[in-house]
Amino acid sequence: MAHLQQISVYPIKSTAGIQLSSSWVDPIGLPYDRRFVICDQNGQFITARTQPKLCLVQANLTPDGLMLTAPDMPLLAVRYSQCLDEYQHVTVWGDTTLGQRSHESVDHWFSQFLGQPCHLLFFGEQSNRQVKNTTNPVAFADGYPLLLISQASLDDLNSRLKQPISMRQFRPNIVVQDCEPFAEDTWRHIRIGEVEFELTKPCTRCVFTTVDPDTGEKHSQLEPLATLKSYRQIAKGDVLFGQNLIPLNQGQIRFGDQVTVLDRQSAPDFVNVKPVSRTSSKKQTSDNNQVAQSATMAEQATNPEQASLVCQHIYEETHDVKTFVFAIANNGQLPDNFAHYQAGQHLPFKLTIEGKQVNAIYTLSSSPTRNQSLTITVKRVPNGKVSNFLHDHFNVGDEIQAKAPNGKFHLGNISQQRILLLSAGSGITPMLSMLKTLTDQCDNREVIFFHSARSEKDLIAMDEVTALAKQHGNCKLHCTLTQSAQPQWQDFQGHLSADMLAVIPDIANLDAMICGPQGFRDSAKALLMAAGLPESQFHFESFGKRPTDKKPATESLAEAAAAQVNIRFESWDKAVVGNTKESVLDQGEAAGLIMSYSCRGGMCGSCKVKLDSGEVRQLATDGLMPGEQEQGYILACSCVPKTDIVISKAPRK
């Protein structure tokens, strides 16, 4: 039978904890726990994820407030009576609430210790914050009132580490003993002393766990997070350790109290736990699987540019968005050129709809750092042939034929130490891939993740983005709703504006990655350029049909005559009189030819053809593999004839 081993509170968010022998539990959690938070001059909360020194601040409880100590700093008394009758907004993981200002001497102490202007705020009478999607209150904790971990779980982790660590690196409020490792994964409803708790969500761990609480320094090998990733990572990439709790009633808990499990749930599925070895009775099945896998790998070796992918999972993100998870067919490993892509690139593929093969292209929302699978996140669009088919008729176990991921919009374009990921609607998908990669690689460059959606119900993967921002530790998250918002919505409202971008300091010194509809991209570019962003640091994803390269309507008769060219579609045995205004694809279709295409935006490469003679104006080359331009290949959707031309079909692979 499990028992309560330890109770801890952390009066100021990210500072050192205090152990108690007993505590009252109220709706917000434990009294004195995370009732203070530090924020910068913009109202953005500050934690030890970006300021590791914070964990060296020791707060001691006094009858009228706190007594603070820190290395090379004078003793500081923080008295509740000295809090000002002044509140300011503070943002904690996307939630904006009011915090009560402290005396200016307190702000000066923290500003001096951290080396930046900042404020200490108290969760006062006017402060109000809820656990996401509930009416349960929470103070300045990350998202839930309480955190529980079992001692057995830490012991299991320490058995895998070269140097054991203490429970302080995980900052739980409640530690239990006398249970199996990770038994808490299976608890849904428990009682400790006089209080019942609901275990609502596993705790997602971040780079903060790598900070030594005694030195304030991050581990050079990012332990224990690196080891946790090896056996406690789920399919979406979250690394789990501990359980978040919500108290269901008020009461007392004490050291030694029995922990009674009232209801259970299934433990999470971890993607990288090695399977149990097969028994000899199943050897034949194993052999058959190996033969099938070998055949698949042999096929890929002879045709490395494409592969057969099978759908493993389908997740509903919103009312009109689904995520599809793919792995290589027959349980094989993804070929290198499928697994080692750049975050932000897209996946060209074909599938069969009503007996016909249809080409499609979607940006990957997965990350190359999690290369067991590939994911696409698809929004249903009116009259969208592929998106509607995927939503209504595509199932787990169905297959697609895909080419290796490609595209020029990716993290490799970034040279600055600060990154803006700016998206609208389904344009969030490459940003998901990039944030996952930056987080998994423990890349501590500053990231501003800014997303625009029509309403709260249209926010795609926001729980995942919030968790990733937390794991990353140096990521600020903002959202704006352009059409409707509930009264409790506390972030931006309206279309992207200069006032919204004003929350991003020093725009000239960042790389901006933009993905969204054409109008959004154009507006974002104008706003960012006006704010001082160099054009060389503006990167955007291109999708949808490109505008034709039309000349002004005022062109002379001589120019109009010169615009006529002869186009020979060699492989189709067709010759037409064309023009120098429209794309080769548009002119071929106008002549009644059936030509391959998918994105019509120069990304996917489906419309690739060989330019046998003549010259064209190339509007995009994203969908061409390295070296194909030199071999004479062009993209029919994104090329306009300049002279008489002859084209032929590209060899099929």
Side-chain angles (χ1 to χ4, degrees):
M1 183 68 69
H3 294 86
L4 179 55
Q5 175 185 336
Q6 181 179 305
I7 305 170
S8 298
V9 294
Y10 307 85
I12 303 174
K13 188 175 182 66
S14 280
T15 61
I18 302 171
Q19 290 192 29
L20 308 174
S21 59
S22 65
S23 178
W24 183 257
V25 179
D26 62 27
I28 305 182
L30 304 181
Y32 312 112
D33 186 55
R34 277 99 168 186
R35 301 302 167 93
F36 288 90
V37 69
I38 301 164
C39 73
D40 63 19
Q41 291 185 305
N42 296 316
Q44 185 69 30
F45 80 128
I46 299 173
T47 74
R49 296 170 182 85
T50 56
Q51 284 278 11
K53 289 174 62 177
L54 264 179
C55 67
L56 302 180
V57 176
Q58 179 70 57
N60 300 280
L61 301 177
T62 65
D64 61 350
L66 305 174
M67 189 66 70
L68 304 185
T69 61
D72 302 318
M73 294 295 293
L75 195 67
L76 176 68
V78 178
R79 296 182 174 88
Y80 300 127
S81 61
Q82 291 183 324
C83 287
L84 308 177
D85 292 330
E86 179 183 346
Y87 283 76
Q88 76 165 70
H89 285 98
V90 57
T91 301
V92 178
W93 296 123
D95 295 336
T96 301
T97 187
L98 291 174
Q100 188 174 3
R101 291 286 299 271
S102 297
H103 191 272
E104 62 180 13
S105 61
V106 175
D107 290 347
H108 177 75
W109 191 91
F110 276 102
S111 298
Q112 182 179 348
F113 180 64
L114 296 181
Q116 69 174 93
C118 56
H119 307 289
L120 181 69
L121 304 181
F122 177 65
F123 198 82
E125 291 183 359
Q126 298 181 34
S127 303
N128 181 33
R129 184 171 174 238
Q130 283 84 39
V131 175
K132 187 175 178 63
N133 299 323
T134 77
T135 58
N136 298 96
V138 62
F140 292 130
D142 277 354
Y144 295 86
L146 295 162
L147 173 64
L148 176 149
I149 299 176
S150 72
Q151 181 62 45
S153 299
L154 179 65
D155 293 342
D156 180 273
L157 172 61
N158 277 331
S159 71
R160 304 165 187 259
L161 297 173
K162 293 181 178 179
Q163 294 183 335
I165 60 173
S166 75
M167 189 68 82
R168 290 185 298 154
Q169 289 192 222
F170 296 102
R171 303 173 64 79
N173 299 106
I174 296 173
V175 178
V176 298
Q177 62 182 355
D178 304 326
C179 64
E180 294 295 319
F182 305 108
E184 62 269 33
D185 286 349
T186 66
W187 299 345
R188 185 196 302 273
H189 185 183
I190 63 174
R191 182 191 302 118
I192 304 176
E194 300 174 350
V195 186
E196 293 186 12
F197 302 90
E198 178 185 359
L199 284 75
T200 55
K201 186 177 183 293
C203 183
T204 301
R205 309 318 307 216
C206 68
V207 70
F208 192 2
T209 61
T210 70
V211 177
D212 186 327
D214 293 321
T215 65
E217 296 178 353
K218 292 180 180 177
H219 193 280
S220 60
Q221 302 302 314
L222 296 176
E223 292 290 8
L225 189 60
T227 295
L228 283 172
K229 282 184 178 182
S230 71
Y231 76 115
R232 295 285 299 175
Q233 189 172 49
I234 60 175
K236 284 195 171 184
D238 296 341
V239 178
L240 309 182
F241 193 76
Q243 290 285 333
N244 291 298
L245 275 64
I246 292 176
L248 301 179
N249 64 288
Q250 299 187 59
Q252 192 83 6
I253 60 173
R254 299 176 178 84
F255 174 81
D257 278 345
Q258 180 176 306
V259 178
T260 303
V261 180
L262 302 175
D263 191 18
R264 296 183 180 274
Q265 61 186 340
S266 298
D269 292 325
F270 298 101
V271 296
N272 41 13
V273 176
K274 294 183 179 179
V276 177
S277 299
R278 301 290 184 182
T279 62
S280 57
S281 63
K282 296 186 177 181
K283 182 178 185 302
Q284 185 61 50
T285 301
S286 176
D287 290 344
N288 290 340
N289 288 340
Q290 290 179 7
V291 170
Q293 180 175 335
S294 297
T296 301
M297 295 177 68
E299 180 181 351
Q300 292 161 3
T302 59
N303 195 0
E305 295 300 325
Q306 62 184 16
S308 179
L309 304 179
V310 62
C311 182
Q312 289 188 315
H313 304 284
I314 300 176
Y315 301 107
E316 288 195 14
E317 301 285 359
T318 71
H319 63 102
D320 60 355
V321 176
K322 290 184 178 181
T323 289
F324 300 82
V325 182
F326 293 94
I328 204 73
N330 297 319
N331 299 315
Q333 287 189 334
L334 287 172
D336 284 348
N337 55 348
F338 279 76
H340 300 152
Y341 56 94
Q342 290 266 24
Q345 291 186 310
H346 52 259
L347 181 72
F349 62 90
K350 64 179 64 174
L351 68 169
T352 303
I353 301 178
E354 297 178 351
K356 297 181 179 179
Q357 282 198 340
V358 176
N359 295 313
I361 179 170
Y362 284 96
T363 303
L364 288 161
S365 53
S366 52
S367 166
T369 56
R370 309 173 186 183
N371 57 15
Q372 303 96 337
S373 60
L374 300 169
T375 69
I376 57 173
T377 299
V378 180
K379 179 180 175 64
R380 182 195 293 274
V381 296
N383 302 316
K385 188 172 186 179
V386 175
S387 68
N388 289 343
F389 175 81
L390 288 171
H391 273 253
D392 297 335
H393 304 292
F394 198 76
N395 300 304
V396 171
D398 290 347
E399 294 188 16
I400 60 173
Q401 299 297 316
K403 293 182 179 179
N406 60 51
K408 294 183 178 179
F409 180 79
H410 53 70
L411 276 180
N413 298 323
I414 294 174
S415 60
Q416 302 296 311
Q417 291 302 304
R418 301 170 63 242
I419 306 165
L420 170 63
L421 303 179
L422 181 60
S423 60
S426 58
I428 196 173
T429 55
M431 309 311 179
L432 273 171
S433 179
M434 293 181 190
L435 185 55
K436 289 174 185 176
T437 299
L438 291 167
T439 301
D440 289 350
Q441 292 177 341
C442 297
D443 188 323
N444 203 37
R445 284 181 288 181
E446 180 185 351
V447 178
I448 303 98
F449 195 106
F450 202 125
H451 182 63
S452 174
R454 289 176 296 184
S455 66
E456 288 178 78
K457 72 174 185 178
D458 296 300
L459 288 169
I460 300 171
M462 273 299 112
D463 285 344
E464 184 174 11
V465 171
T466 302
L468 286 167
K470 175 182 174 183
Q471 280 185 261
H472 182 273
N474 196 19
C475 176
K476 297 177 181 178
L477 174 60
H478 294 286
C479 292
T480 184
L481 303 181
T482 61
Q483 292 187 5
S484 63
Q486 298 297 320
Q488 64 268 25
W489 177 256
Q490 295 179 320
D491 215 336
F492 293 111
Q493 294 186 50
H495 292 282
L496 188 68
S497 67
D499 287 342
M500 295 179 192
L501 293 180
V503 302
I504 307 173
D506 198 17
I507 282 180
N509 291 313
L510 56 74
D511 270 299
M513 310 296 288
I514 318 296
C515 188
Q518 180 72 49
F520 176 82
R521 300 197 306 267
D522 291 345
S523 174
K525 183 174 184 179
L527 291 168
L528 289 167
M529 298 296 112
L533 181 76
E535 189 164 6
S536 62
Q537 292 162 216
F538 180 89
H539 315 279
F540 68 93
E541 173 70 295
S542 56
F543 59 89
K545 185 175 179 179
R546 296 177 185 271
T548 55
D549 189 35
K550 294 184 178 180
K551 289 185 171 60
T554 55
E555 65 182 358
S556 66
L557 291 176
E559 287 174 326
Q564 292 186 353
V565 292
N566 296 311
I567 305 176
R568 172 71 184 177
F569 296 92
E570 186 68 36
S571 302
W572 294 263
D573 193 23
K574 182 80 172 183
V576 300
V577 176
N579 59 65
T580 56
K581 305 175 187 177
E582 298 173 295
S583 72
V584 171
L585 177 60
D586 287 342
Q587 296 190 65
E589 290 179 331
L593 303 181
I594 298 176
M595 301 180 67
S596 297
Y597 72 88
S598 177
C599 69
R600 302 188 81 103
M603 290 174 55
C604 68
S606 298
C607 65
K608 179 174 63 180
V609 292
K610 184 76 177 291
L611 180 65
D612 295 325
S613 65
E615 296 182 27
V616 296
R617 182 180 299 107
Q618 300 193 57
L619 306 180
T621 59
D622 301 36
L624 295 175
M625 299 295 291
E628 288 186 331
Q629 278 185 274
E630 287 75 12
Q631 298 173 37
Y633 290 106
I634 60 174
L635 300 175
C637 76
S638 301
C639 281
V640 176
K642 292 173 65 176
T643 66
D644 293 347
I645 62 171
V646 178
I647 65 169
S648 57
K649 292 181 179 179
R652 294 182 62 85
K653 293 186 177 181

